[in-house]
Amino acid sequence: MKKFAIPQDLTKALHFIGGSRLNLLSPHKFMVMEPRNGSHLTECCSAERSQVEEAVLISRKAQKFWAAMPWLERGHILRRAAELIRSHVNEISLWEVRDNGKPIREAKADVLSCAETFEYFSGVDLSGQHIPYSDQDSRFAYTRREPLGVVGAVGAWNYPIQTATWKIAPAIACGNAIVYKPSPLAPISAVILAQLLQCAGVPNGIVNIVQGEAITGTAICESTGINKVSFTGSSSTGKKIVETCAKIHVKPVTLELGGKSSCIIFEDADMEMAVNGAMMANFFSQGQVCSNASKILVHSSIFDEFTKKVAESTAQLVIGDPLNEATHVGASISNEHMKKVKGYIDGAIKQGAKLIYGGEPVSVEGLESGFYLSPCILSGVTRGMTVYHEEIFGSVMLIIPFESDEEALKMANDTEFGLAAGVFTNDLSRAHSFAAMLEAGTVYINTFNDVSPLVPFGGFKQSGFGRENGRSAIEAYSQIKSVFVNTSKRLENAFQVISAGEL
Ligand code: NAD
């Protein structure tokens, strides 16, 4: 295996096209901040349409060779990538923290999960099916699973390397090339990943990174050389993606969008597990998690005890430099985003919610310009309040009481979104009947926010369509061709003339 070293020059030439780091120039420049200290990390130009088209052209040429490579050989390369990720977890995580602001312990878990994802997709089964549709052995059909060609992908900033991996790994495992656009707020780890994949043996032109804001994403969606688009981001941008993808020529789209999830804590739940679960459902990655259950619905008989315990546990969380291993709560992605989350908290209090804990900007010694906000717990939240309906995308837990199972279910499903939901109970039959009734792509029973490359992930309702991970991802990044076969050496004339007597 070629030796891989984390590139030293990660604040310039952030486009990666045809196997080379490029410093593309365009009039559309964007700045990248380092959330932990609020400093200027780098700046980059958004790739324009012609530059995206150049990347697509290079991908199209390379894809033919990659698709023709035996699966097992592609699988070897993906496994080598997993090995390289594992052996560089610390250095990759460091950049993920600088780029995104999340605590290093979470960044390491994210990076390791990327190794698992490449491993899982290294063993994909791309077989078709034999279909004996006729009563004659000489007539049958079979299906071939074929790549789509070039995949265009657009990602969000909250799980930068994981989002890139969830798209790149299945796309290339299926024999496609990919043109990936990271979020302009966290553009760096995708470049590291692309260079690492090159080192693992992925041919030049198969994985391309184009940087940019909406203008670059639009160019990807409009490109006639791109055969599929996979998008992770907000529901409002998701709508534009679908529209743009259909404007010039239609292409299939996977949409991983926002959420407004609930987690129901029943009266028979184990209290310690429920408290841990509610925190896992709200406080990873400064609350910037699409599947977060900001609505924690708690049976009224245990409401006071739960509220007290979850507030005590939240008060234990260490807020500080995300590069410190002891830190639980790092920095929000940007000052603007932190203010938006704070605005939701202040707005809820103005509308009558009660502040139980946190929700204040925090000054971290030596990092005074970083974007730190303490995790927040609110109670007294009602259906009329904005926070009850909108995705906050920050560490804001809303604790809402309920009296009956019906009321809990109604509140959990009372949203246009459907990404995730959870229940904490010791009643097996209640757990599984709720799993069936909750309108969400993922349901957690006595846990929350677990992900695995083996398990499909995606949304119901306005949280999107299509799935990442698991067998579903293979279906999303390949297409089925049906082949009808006749080996009998004869074919009846379907148009033979029938005499009047035979009619
Ligand atoms: P966003 O919608 O603002 O941006 C997402 C990406 O789309 C970025 O790369 C952005 O540059 C690009 N973009 C913006 N406008 C575009 C356009 N008109 N055409 C093409 N591309 C365009 O979202 P964000 O703020 O980066 O991410 C936060 C959102 O993502 C939240 O709503 C969160 O729930 C969601 N999210 C969903 C999942 C999931 O798996 N369902 C995972 C992570 C984040």
Side-chain angles (χ1 to χ4, degrees):
M1 197 194 313
K2 266 199 217 159
K3 210 163 149 33
F4 174 70
I6 299 286
Q8 295 301 306
D9 51 346
L10 276 165
T11 56
K12 55 179 197 279
L14 291 177
H15 303 268
F16 183 83
I17 299 173
S20 301
R21 291 267 301 279
L22 300 174
N23 187 25
L24 298 181
L25 296 177
S26 82
H28 317 280
K29 206 175 257 184
F30 63 90
M31 300 254 278
V32 185
M33 304 298 286
E34 185 165 350
R36 64 182 276 279
N37 57 17
S39 70
H40 173 245
L41 183 58
T42 186
E43 57 188 27
C44 182
C45 289
S46 287
E48 292 188 288
R49 183 179 306 276
S50 60
Q51 294 159 333
V52 169
E53 284 305 332
E54 183 63 24
V56 172
L57 205 67
I58 289 169
S59 306
R60 292 206 80 76
K61 281 192 195 137
Q63 189 264 335
K64 301 269 177 293
F65 166 77
W66 179 244
M69 190 185 274
W71 308 346
L72 288 180
E73 210 171 309
R74 290 205 299 259
H76 276 310
I77 294 175
L78 266 58
R79 276 193 297 283
R80 262 186 250 145
E83 264 178 62
L84 287 176
I85 292 172
R86 283 216 170 84
S87 55
H88 291 83
V89 60
N90 291 337
E91 306 104 291
I92 301 173
S93 304
L94 187 110
W95 273 104
E96 191 77 332
V97 174
R98 291 194 65 191
D99 213 11
N100 169 281
K102 65 172 66 191
I104 186 96
R105 57 162 86 181
E106 287 189 36
K108 282 184 187 170
D110 293 356
V111 172
L112 287 173
S113 82
C114 294
E116 286 175 2
T117 305
F118 278 102
E119 244 153 27
Y120 172 75
F121 286 108
S122 74
V124 292
D125 177 3
L126 300 174
S127 337
Q129 210 187 347
H130 173 263
I131 308 168
Y133 73 92
S134 151
D135 57 359
Q136 299 165 40
D137 282 348
S138 58
R139 286 184 162 250
F140 58 91
Y142 64 90
T143 60
R144 292 166 49 87
R145 187 168 285 284
E146 298 185 355
L148 292 152
V150 177
V151 171
V154 176
W157 47 262
N158 58 332
Y159 281 80
I161 195 162
Q162 197 183 63
T163 305
T165 298
W166 283 14
K167 298 183 190 310
I168 293 172
I172 67 174
C174 290
N176 302 289
I178 185 163
V179 176
Y180 180 72
K181 186 194 92 60
S183 165
L185 295 174
I188 290 178
S189 53
V191 185
I192 301 177
L193 184 63
Q195 289 198 255
L196 180 146
L197 288 168
Q198 182 183 43
C199 206
V202 174
N204 293 343
I206 296 303
V207 174
N208 305 277
I209 308 296
V210 290
Q211 303 285 359
E213 299 188 291
I215 173 191
T216 311
T218 304
I220 288 176
C221 295
E222 285 182 353
S223 173
T224 54
I226 282 183
N227 306 91
K228 181 212 163 74
V229 167
S230 177
F231 172 75
T232 298
S234 62
S235 296
S236 57
T237 309
K239 285 180 195 153
K240 290 183 201 152
I241 296 276
V242 176
E243 206 182 326
T244 318
C245 281
K247 213 160 92 185
I248 297 177
H249 77 155
V250 291
K251 36 177 99 71
V253 182
T254 297
L255 290 184
E256 296 287 349
L257 308 179
K260 184 72 193 179
S261 304
S262 289
C263 180
I264 306 171
I265 317 281
F266 289 103
E267 69 284 1
D268 66 338
D270 178 291
M271 182 57 75
E272 197 184 326
M273 282 176 71
V275 167
N276 291 342
M279 292 174 69
M280 285 160 68
N282 277 282
F283 299 149
F284 285 133
S285 208
Q286 294 69 250
Q288 302 161 152
V289 183
C290 53
S291 48
N292 264 5
S294 60
K295 278 157 71 188
I296 300 290
L297 311 176
V298 184
H299 192 270
S300 57
S301 63
I302 56 164
F303 187 84
D304 291 344
E305 186 190 357
F306 175 85
T307 304
K308 183 170 168 277
K309 291 207 157 136
V310 85
E312 282 167 6
S313 294
T314 304
Q316 309 283 315
L317 298 180
V318 177
I319 307 168
D321 184 353
L323 285 174
N324 183 341
E325 289 280 351
T327 294
H328 298 112
V329 179
S332 307
I333 189 73
S334 65
N335 197 26
E336 190 192 2
H337 187 69
M338 187 178 79
K339 282 189 183 153
K340 189 174 163 196
V341 174
K342 177 78 176 125
Y344 272 116
I345 297 167
D346 295 344
I349 293 168
K350 217 177 259 173
Q351 287 181 307
K354 184 175 163 203
L355 180 69
I356 303 287
Y357 182 83
E360 289 301 329
V362 175
S363 177
V364 173
E365 204 184 325
L367 303 172
E368 285 77 9
S369 300
F371 317 129
Y372 298 91
L373 187 68
S374 58
C376 176
I377 302 175
L378 294 172
S379 72
V381 172
T382 58
R383 196 173 185 279
M385 297 181 186
T386 311
V387 287
Y388 180 94
H389 300 281
E390 292 187 10
E391 181 181 42
I392 302 170
F393 220 52
S395 287
V396 185
M397 185 193 296
L398 317 173
I399 315 183
I400 305 170
F402 69 88
E403 299 292 337
S404 66
D405 286 17
E406 294 69 32
E407 193 192 358
L409 182 68
K410 200 169 161 210
M411 281 199 279
N413 286 340
D414 183 17
T415 167
E416 58 174 350
F417 295 108
L419 196 53
V423 291
F424 278 79
T425 177
N426 278 316
D427 179 340
L428 213 56
S429 102
R430 176 150 66 179
H432 292 288
S433 76
F434 267 77
M437 293 184 295
L438 287 162
E439 296 165 0
T442 299
V443 174
Y444 299 101
I445 298 176
N446 293 332
T447 183
F448 212 94
N449 268 340
D450 300 337
V451 287
S452 161
L454 284 72
V455 184
F457 184 83
F460 279 17
K461 296 158 56 177
Q462 294 302 296
S463 291
F465 44 75
R467 292 290 176 270
E468 295 197 290
N469 291 335
R471 177 81 198 154
S472 314
I474 297 306
E475 281 152 18
Y477 288 103
S478 59
Q479 54 193 339
I480 294 283
K481 180 181 280 172
S482 298
V483 182
F484 280 86
V485 183
N486 169 14
T487 59
S488 72
K489 299 200 169 141
R490 53 185 289 271
L491 189 63
E492 278 169 20
N493 179 0
F495 305 100
Q496 65 186 298
V497 178
I498 301 171
S499 64
E502 285 174 313
L503 285 173

